[in-house]
Amino acid sequence: MWWGVTAALLANVLYSAGFVLEKRALAALPEVSVRRPARLLRLVLGSWLWIGGSLALASGFGAQLVVYRTLPIAAAQGIFVSGLVILVLLSSVLLGEETSGRERYALGAILLALLMVVLSLKEGSDTVSRSAPAPLILLVCVPTLALGVWLYGSAERRARHRHRMPTTGVEYGVAVGLLYGVSSLAIKGVSSHLTGSGFGGAVLGVLRSPYPYLLLFTGVFGLVMSQAALQRCRASLIVPVCTTVTCLFTAVLGTVSFGEALPEDPLRLALRIGGTALAVSVLLAMPKHDPPPQPQSLSPTRELTSHEPGRPAAEDTGVPAGQGAAASPRERDGGPGGHRGY
């Protein structure tokens, strides 16, 4: 069991470092878009920093295989959520991102949810399942993939609106989190085939299952979608949202799909369900938009020449109407009501 806990903590560090390195690399690249995936891949593969982040994520994938062979799904997800603290710290140090007070409270609530889930665990009483019916896995995963792609497309369409509010990336995080949730179930399924039947038997067992094909789909689409989202939004918010959705999806539907029973003790059951409900509530309460940029203070000249409703245009200026400067700064900027998009 302790090997699983160690592997989960190592996966947290690797995943957080990978996301931050990719975010830093994307900041130096031209804008990428899911509508041009070939161009996106060409750009990111030309960045050594991005490649380093991808290698860190791949190493986290390897650590996650060990986790799912030694810990129940719910326990593993509880530990994975704690990686949010590492992510926020790395984002602050390496990316210079600042979180709002509301977001810090949200992260604190997520850690409380983690504590509740961890307290619901009891060594020796939680079983680690090794298999799940393939039809049930497909019934859970295929609609989830369709929902994730649809949500991402909706966020992209709203982002193209000229007068939109600046988004924090919650919608992107939910969409990518659903894809990574399916990927997490697929990783769990692959780990269940790594038995003592030999390498050849393990490979055949994996290829006969739906898991490698789910991993291929989520790997390709998740790569393209996550890179575009990371470039547009703060990693310190989009990754926690993505992680929360992934962990909740895997903990709830993975427990049901793989037949890992919930605790029979009423207190432990209440802690596990309460922790899950708290994490969902925090996710729904997180801000959907960044605050608008602060308007620049008006210069003395603009204050004197600006026209307020109900006030004569030449009042207190000492210059008769129609004389003086040919046009006010506001008029040169495009006139009253002129809008500059973000």
Side-chain angles (χ1 to χ4, degrees):
M1 180 175 182
W2 290 111
W3 278 108
V5 173
T6 302
L9 294 175
L10 176 61
N12 282 344
V13 175
L14 291 170
Y15 280 135
S16 297
F19 277 121
V20 169
L21 289 175
E22 286 188 349
K23 169 68 175 178
R24 188 159 185 173
L26 288 165
L29 296 178
E31 184 178 0
V32 297
S33 172
V34 295
R35 291 176 292 174
R36 302 177 64 184
R39 176 177 178 271
L40 184 152
L41 291 176
R42 177 174 56 82
L43 288 173
V44 297
L45 290 177
S47 170
W48 287 107
L49 189 60
W50 186 91
I51 293 175
S54 298
L55 291 176
L57 293 177
S59 301
F61 168 83
Q64 200 171 353
L65 285 174
V66 177
V67 173
Y68 284 142
R69 285 189 56 80
T70 55
L71 291 179
I73 290 177
Q77 301 314 307
I79 298 174
F80 287 146
V81 173
S82 66
L84 299 181
V85 177
I86 302 174
L87 185 279
V88 170
L89 291 175
L90 289 177
S91 297
S92 176
V93 174
L94 298 179
L95 301 177
E97 296 182 353
E98 295 183 2
T99 56
S100 67
R102 184 177 176 184
E103 292 165 3
R104 287 191 290 271
Y105 287 133
L107 291 177
I110 288 176
L111 290 179
L112 176 60
L114 161 66
L115 178 62
M116 294 172 67
V117 172
V118 171
L119 290 176
S120 72
L121 302 173
K122 185 178 180 181
E123 187 173 5
S125 63
D126 292 294
T127 58
V128 180
S129 177
R130 300 298 184 190
S131 63
L136 179 59
I137 291 294
L138 292 175
L139 181 63
V140 169
C141 294
V142 173
T144 302
L145 293 174
L147 177 60
V149 173
W150 179 81
L151 284 175
Y152 194 95
S154 298
E156 282 282 280
R157 287 190 293 271
R158 285 193 297 271
R160 290 197 295 268
H161 292 170
R162 182 177 179 183
H163 302 301
R164 73 190 187 278
M165 293 182 65
T167 180
T168 57
V170 170
E171 298 92 342
Y172 290 113
V174 172
V176 177
L178 289 174
L179 261 71
Y180 284 167
V182 172
S183 178
S184 189
L185 289 187
I187 294 173
K188 169 69 176 177
V190 169
S191 70
S192 67
H193 286 83
L194 301 179
T195 60
S197 58
F199 179 77
V203 171
L204 287 177
V206 169
L207 293 177
R208 290 170 181 169
S209 71
Y211 303 122
Y213 313 106
L214 290 174
L215 279 175
L216 179 62
F217 182 93
T218 55
V220 173
F221 277 80
L223 171 66
V224 176
M225 291 164 57
S226 63
Q227 300 313 300
L230 275 174
Q231 190 180 61
R232 295 179 183 137
C233 310
R234 286 182 290 122
S236 57
L237 190 135
I238 190 173
V239 177
V241 172
C242 174
T243 302
T244 303
V245 173
T246 298
C247 290
L248 290 176
F249 176 89
T250 308
V252 176
L253 295 180
T255 297
V256 174
S257 301
F258 284 87
E260 294 183 349
L262 292 171
E264 296 181 357
D265 178 69
L267 177 59
R268 293 173 57 220
L269 179 62
L271 285 171
R272 188 166 300 182
I273 295 177
T276 303
L278 176 60
V280 172
S281 301
V282 171
L283 174 63
L284 296 176
M286 293 187 82
K288 303 297 188 297
H289 299 282
D290 282 329
Q294 294 294 329
Q296 296 181 354
S297 59
L298 296 176
S299 64
T301 304
R302 181 173 294 187
E303 291 177 354
L304 290 174
T305 58
S306 62
H307 176 61
E308 298 177 2
R311 176 183 175 185
E315 182 180 347
D316 295 333
T317 64
V319 180
Q323 299 182 14
S328 68
R330 176 179 293 184
E331 291 168 337
R332 289 193 298 270
D333 285 345
H339 177 77
R340 297 179 177 180
Y342 295 109

